[in-house]
Amino acid sequence: LFAYVNSSSLKIYPNPAKDKITIAFTTPLQSTTTLEIYNAMGILVYRTMIDPNQDQNIQVEVGHLANGNYLLRWKNQEFVENQQVVVLK
């Protein structure tokens, strides 16, 4: 079962973004977590795995993405969280 957590456990900046975003995890990860970004048509455009021992802040290059709204999905065995990211160049 997945629990949906509130967005306070994940901070994304800058938003809107031009070249890259920083994702700050405010809650320590307990297990390997998947980070996915989907475009407005629901197509997966980015995926990475985050180790629980990794730094709590990661940077993701978004400069190659077209202007628009994207869904960032952060999930593991315990939870799923979705947030909107805007790319605007």
Side-chain angles (χ1 to χ4, degrees):
L1 293 173
F2 288 108
Y4 283 86
V5 295
N6 83 34
S7 60
S8 64
S9 60
L10 181 67
K11 305 250 186 255
I12 302 169
Y13 58 91
N15 195 6
K18 181 177 180 182
D19 297 320
K20 64 184 170 184
I21 57 174
T22 299
I23 301 166
F25 303 101
T26 58
T27 303
L29 300 177
Q30 302 300 317
S31 61
T32 300
T33 300
T34 302
L35 177 66
E36 299 171 333
I37 300 176
Y38 294 86
N39 67 16
M41 297 183 348
I43 298 170
L44 180 68
V45 295
Y46 180 83
R47 175 184 285 157
T48 192
M49 303 299 283
I50 302 164
D51 186 280
N53 299 318
Q54 187 172 332
D55 187 14
Q56 292 291 88
N57 296 321
I58 64 167
Q59 291 190 343
V60 177
E61 296 291 330
V62 296
H64 65 284
L65 299 175
N67 286 350
N69 294 320
Y70 292 84
L71 174 75
L72 186 144
R73 177 170 288 159
W74 174 42
K75 65 182 178 178
N76 67 20
Q77 295 174 348
E78 291 86 37
F79 62 83
V80 174
E81 180 173 342
N82 296 315
Q83 282 199 21
Q84 180 179 345
V85 176
V86 176
V87 174
L88 185 61
K89 302 175 195 174

